Amino acid sequence: MASLDDLRFFTLVARLGSLTAVAREMGLTLPAVSKRLTLLEQRLGVQLVLRTTRRLDLTLEGERYVEGARPIISQLDELESVVSNSQALLTGRLNINASFGFGRRYIAPLISAFHRLHPELDIDLQLTSQPLNFLDSSVDIDLRVGEPPDSRLVAIKLKSNSRVVCASPAYLDKRGVPQQVTDLAQHNCIVLRQYESDYSLWRFTRAGKEYVQKVSGDLSSNDGETVVNYARDGHGIILRSKWDIKTDLSQEALIPVLTDYQAPDADIFAVYTYRKHVPARISVFITYLKQRLALEP
């Protein structure tokens, strides 16, 4: 019968791929770690790893063992978190993913404040411009714009957020103010190229009717902050989330246009994989985010 300690030990071996690294992580000597692996293999009656001078490679039996161990460990951790009602003192590790701009400006400061409340919790923030595949990552929470299409994921709405079409006063004085969606075809539109989407098609609704306009321009980027800077410098029209440009709007560095049309919402969600027992570190952090983001105008 496999023990939980054996399962945790071998998943660490598989993750680090080096007995020296495992010894360092566990605070043991290299011979002690090597002996423990040998005893585990003897008890199971199979070879779990192929040892070389540089690294360890899992055998087929080793791969099967670690694949079976991971969900068991995850379920036990989740169950212990719920049963122990550990919300007062969160421990363990919380892996979070967010987009570059939103993550830097909003999430990182909130994580800093949250960690002061829960100093025993290890928190890793990963910033990326690409959509997250939960099946291929170790992320606990993905903070994203829009609900995920996968029904196996749980999406908690953190904050409503609209999109705004806008440009600098200098650009509008020079090129004029678009009055309807089709006017965008005559303007220099700065597009944000992300997620291999149809980024050059801007969609709107007005009075229940849908409008789709293909836009183009001589500047584009896959970084939202860069796109906003281009617009602020007077190069063209952008379509951006309100959270990203609210200071520019309040200071009239950017002026909204086509205000009688509505672009698709960019509501912010916390997304995680469905599980019967949600660890306290996930549920408490999401609740904290929702409360703090609600204070943002």
Side-chain angles (χ1 to χ4, degrees):
M1 178 69 69
S3 70
L4 181 58
D5 284 344
D6 283 339
L7 297 179
R8 291 189 187 279
F9 167 71
F10 191 69
T11 55
L12 185 63
V13 171
R15 178 166 64 87
L16 298 180
S18 163
L19 293 187
T20 301
V22 173
R24 188 183 305 115
E25 181 81 8
M26 298 182 67
L28 299 174
T29 65
L30 180 57
V33 170
S34 180
K35 182 178 180 180
R36 179 167 182 178
L37 178 58
T38 299
L39 290 175
L40 177 59
E41 290 179 321
Q42 289 176 350
R43 183 173 63 78
L44 295 175
V46 295
Q47 186 176 7
L48 298 175
V49 299
L50 297 173
R51 296 168 173 81
T52 67
T53 56
R54 293 187 177 181
R55 65 174 189 174
L56 301 178
D57 291 319
L58 299 186
T59 63
L60 178 59
E61 290 78 13
E63 291 178 354
R64 289 174 177 171
Y65 191 68
V66 76
E67 287 175 4
R70 283 171 178 156
I72 294 172
I73 293 171
S74 177
Q75 291 173 19
L76 286 172
D77 287 344
E78 293 167 11
L79 182 59
E80 288 178 358
S81 176
V82 172
V83 172
S84 63
N85 191 25
S86 59
Q87 293 189 10
L89 178 63
L90 299 183
T91 59
R93 185 176 181 84
L94 183 62
N95 297 302
I96 302 164
N97 182 78
S99 63
F100 281 107
F102 187 68
R104 280 194 300 258
R105 191 175 306 175
Y106 290 95
I107 301 305
L110 291 179
I111 288 177
S112 178
F114 185 76
H115 190 259
R116 292 192 185 97
L117 300 175
H118 304 281
E120 299 299 318
L121 182 65
D122 294 336
I123 306 177
D124 178 68
L125 174 62
Q126 166 185 295
L127 300 180
T128 177
S129 62
Q130 298 300 317
L132 180 70
N133 183 348
F134 271 95
L135 298 179
D136 297 330
S137 72
S138 58
V139 169
D140 297 307
I141 304 172
D142 180 27
L143 302 173
R144 57 173 289 157
V145 172
E147 294 187 68
D150 195 329
S151 61
R152 295 171 296 177
L153 301 176
V154 179
I156 306 297
K157 184 176 176 179
L158 299 177
K159 188 175 180 64
S160 297
N161 182 44
S162 58
R163 285 188 173 97
V164 181
V165 183
C166 57
S168 70
Y171 176 86
L172 296 176
D173 288 343
K174 180 180 179 180
R175 298 289 300 271
V177 179
Q179 301 299 318
Q180 53 190 3
V181 169
T182 54
D183 292 344
L184 292 173
Q186 310 305 317
H187 282 269
N188 197 55
C189 294
I190 306 168
V191 296
L192 180 66
R193 297 179 287 100
Q194 285 186 328
Y195 308 156
E196 299 180 355
S197 62
D198 52 351
Y199 47 82
S200 63
L201 294 179
W202 289 5
R203 305 174 189 276
F204 304 88
T205 58
R206 186 178 68 172
K209 185 177 179 180
E210 295 185 357
Y211 299 83
V212 180
Q213 179 62 47
K214 184 176 178 59
V215 300
S216 61
D218 51 21
L219 288 174
S220 63
S221 177
N222 68 338
D223 176 64
E225 187 173 334
T226 298
V227 165
V228 173
N229 287 336
Y230 286 156
R232 195 184 293 124
D233 290 343
H235 291 292
I237 296 177
I238 59 172
L239 174 63
R240 288 300 293 153
S241 295
K242 190 173 183 180
W243 68 262
D244 194 27
I245 55 172
K246 62 182 181 181
T247 300
D248 293 294
L249 295 176
S250 65
Q251 296 176 351
E252 298 186 346
L254 294 174
I255 306 299
V257 298
L258 299 175
T259 54
D260 52 343
Y261 293 85
Q262 183 178 5
D265 289 333
D267 295 342
I268 300 164
F269 288 83
V271 181
Y272 58 91
T273 55
Y274 173 79
R275 59 194 77 188
K276 188 174 182 180
H277 304 290
V278 179
R281 62 183 181 275
I282 292 179
S283 59
V284 173
F285 181 69
I286 289 177
T287 299
Y288 177 83
L289 280 186
K290 190 169 185 178
Q291 292 172 345
R292 291 295 300 270
L293 289 175
L295 301 177
E296 294 287 338

